[in-house]
Amino acid sequence: MAFRVLSESKHFYYFEYKDNNDDTPIDSIKRINFTPLFGYRVFGSFNGLVCFRTGFRYDSVYICNPVTREYVKLPKFNRDSDHSIPWTRGFGYLPLTNEYQVVEIHRLSADLNIVEVLVYTVGGGSGWKIVGRFDIQDGKAHVEKHGVFVNGALHWVESTCGRVFVFDLTEEKFREHVSRPPRPPDSLWPEYGSIGVVGGVLYYFVKYFSQITRMHSYDIWPLKGKNDTGDMKEQVVQEPLGWREKFTFYVGKPLSFTKSSGVLYFNSRDLGIYDASASTSKELVRFSAVSQIFPHKNTLVSLK
């Protein structure tokens, strides 16, 4: 398992976790000599390609391959600024056609219930395409800044009621949204909910302060679908049905599952491994200033 680290100083680092080596699971963390621009943030990564934006939320968008140091700047979509309001973005991949896509969603100023979806296919040569307008039936909905890609679709968490919006890249339409998992019964403070991907499975991550343990707790709810299979080509067509049984731990946000049924996690600036059977955690690396950390693999894929 390999991971890419983006430091607060905007430098890329790379390390591998060796699941079969208990003594030195991480040999070294290497800096990648590639810093394309100052002031950027990654909002998607897949198959070794990284998508990021610069400056404010809806400034320029770039896609890069940190290994080949190749990157492209996406053209901006020319439109009347009064026509719509930027809502969210995402970066995904179509395995059947081997295409990488950036999705940009805007709400119409005249009717905030209606969103307009634009798609840019990397290397397609046709620029931005408006794929349609959709009624989300909630003009006040606010979602996470960037979507999470898994199983052929981008996912966003709505910040008020916690439901998950799902946009299918193949069908180019929204699937039925997924309701949030049950609220923690022993939550003392308002909990924080977000989503992520571990082992090709979308999960809902709930952080809260428990009245029982008097500690910060982390509930992880994996999403189940019709197939529950690891084959991505089969999962592209599956529809989400709900959440599997949760598991709870107290150390941080999961990054990956290990062969020994442990959980590799990141908590603030600590990278560690959690043993679910023993309910113990072990720190592996302490970072000094990390902005983002995400799964990654080296590739020579060209952006042309």
Side-chain angles (χ1 to χ4, degrees):
M1 295 178 284
F3 297 88
R4 186 75 61 183
V5 177
L6 178 63
S7 70
E8 291 181 357
S9 58
K10 303 305 178 185
H11 293 123
F12 273 130
Y13 293 85
Y14 174 85
F15 72 87
E16 294 184 8
Y17 173 80
K18 298 179 180 179
D19 207 355
N20 58 353
N21 191 334
D22 294 334
D23 295 328
T24 55
I26 299 176
D27 287 336
S28 62
I29 300 177
K30 302 176 181 178
R31 177 176 169 180
I32 305 299
N33 188 22
F34 177 73
T35 306
L37 292 165
F38 176 77
Y40 63 93
R41 185 168 181 82
V42 172
F43 68 85
S45 177
F46 200 81
N47 286 351
L49 299 185
V50 179
C51 191
F52 60 93
R53 52 91 177 165
T54 62
F56 295 103
R57 185 174 176 180
Y58 280 88
D59 280 357
S60 300
V61 175
Y62 291 77
I63 300 175
C64 75
N65 184 332
V67 175
T68 63
R69 302 181 187 179
E70 180 184 17
Y71 67 91
V72 295
K73 179 182 178 180
L74 273 59
K76 290 189 176 182
F77 184 78
N78 295 322
R79 67 190 316 151
D80 184 352
S81 59
D82 295 331
H83 174 67
S84 62
I85 303 169
W87 196 47
T88 189
R89 277 179 174 153
F91 179 63
Y93 173 71
L94 295 176
L96 298 181
T97 57
N98 194 32
E99 292 177 324
Y100 297 85
Q101 294 186 328
V102 177
V103 173
E104 194 166 287
I105 304 179
H106 298 249
R107 291 189 296 181
L108 299 188
S109 301
D111 185 351
L112 296 180
N113 291 316
I114 306 299
V115 297
E116 186 174 73
V117 180
L118 292 79
V119 173
Y120 184 94
T121 301
V122 180
S126 57
W128 289 97
K129 177 182 72 170
I130 298 177
V131 300
R133 293 181 177 180
F134 305 89
D135 189 351
I136 61 172
Q137 300 178 349
D138 187 354
K140 297 181 180 180
H142 294 280
V143 296
E144 291 184 332
K145 292 181 179 180
H146 308 302
V148 173
F149 175 77
V150 67
N151 297 341
L154 284 163
H155 303 71
W156 296 269
V157 172
E158 195 271 322
S159 59
T160 304
C161 65
R163 61 181 169 172
V164 180
F165 288 98
V166 186
F167 185 79
D168 191 304
L169 293 185
T170 301
E171 299 293 332
E172 294 187 336
K173 65 181 182 181
F174 282 94
R175 300 178 187 172
E176 183 178 355
H177 73 263
V178 185
S179 298
R180 62 159 293 153
R183 295 181 181 273
D186 61 332
S187 175
L188 182 60
W189 297 338
E191 72 274 7
Y192 165 76
S194 65
I195 54 177
V197 178
V198 172
V201 176
L202 184 80
Y203 68 85
Y204 202 106
F205 173 83
V206 181
K207 177 182 177 180
Y208 62 99
F209 190 82
S210 170
Q211 298 183 74
I212 298 175
T213 64
R214 311 301 296 180
M215 297 172 59
H216 283 102
S217 297
Y218 304 84
D219 283 356
I220 310 298
W221 296 81
L223 182 69
K224 65 181 179 180
K226 289 183 178 179
N227 296 328
D228 271 342
T229 173
D231 185 84
M232 179 174 291
K233 291 184 179 180
E234 293 182 18
Q235 286 188 348
V236 167
V237 297
Q238 78 176 37
E239 293 294 332
L241 297 178
W243 304 101
R244 299 185 206 161
E245 185 177 352
K246 71 174 181 179
F247 63 92
T248 303
F249 61 106
Y250 310 98
V251 286
K253 193 169 185 177
L255 294 175
S256 180
F257 295 117
T258 67
K259 293 179 180 178
S260 58
S261 300
V263 181
L264 197 66
Y265 68 87
F266 179 69
N267 182 7
S268 183
R269 303 189 178 187
D270 298 333
L271 177 73
I273 186 167
Y274 176 77
D275 186 335
S277 59
S279 299
T280 58
S281 60
K282 176 183 177 182
E283 181 183 295
L284 299 177
V285 177
R286 172 160 290 189
F287 296 102
S288 58
V290 172
S291 175
Q292 293 175 269
I293 181 170
F294 47 90
H296 188 81
K297 73 175 184 178
N298 289 328
T299 180
L300 298 178
V301 170
S302 174
L303 297 175
K304 298 178 181 178

